[in-house]
Amino acid sequence: MKNGQTRNLTEPMYYILLILTNPHHGYGIMQKVHTFTEGRVEIGAGTLYSLLSKFTAEKLIRIDSVGERKKTYVITEKGRDVLEKEYQRLQRLVRDGDRILTRERQS
């Protein structure tokens, strides 16, 4: 998110930020996303750690703690703002779809 630009989040990005509203370590994030989405969204280790690195650099998340073999991450205020904006955008998409699809069903 350079220079205040916003962008749409991919599903993995969205779910990582959503899960990090509570602190989790990398493998825990993958498990939580899998469970939360009932297996619909799978995040591989390469994708996860690439996004964690990117999110950390963009200050959307921060390292909460460092253990012997794992780091725990948590969302920042900036990350929460990005997540909230994406949530609102997705709600608008659903409302727009409902308006059109409901109208079609009534015709």
Side-chain angles (χ1 to χ4, degrees), residues 85-102:
K85 285 177 181 167
E86 180 66 2
Y87 174 74
Q88 291 170 3
R89 184 187 75 81
L90 293 170
Q91 285 183 315
R92 284 190 304 273
L93 290 174
V94 170
R95 280 193 309 267
D96 292 345
D98 281 345
R99 283 193 349 237
I100 290 174
L101 294 173
T102 300

Side-chain angles (χ1 to χ4, degrees), residues 38-63:
E38 299 175 336
R40 188 179 53 78
V41 177
E42 293 284 339
I43 301 174
T47 299
L48 175 70
Y49 288 103
S50 174
L51 288 173
L52 290 176
S53 176
K54 181 180 193 122
F55 286 167
T56 301
E58 294 175 354
K59 300 193 181 336
L60 301 181
I61 64 171
R62 65 177 173 78
I63 296 172

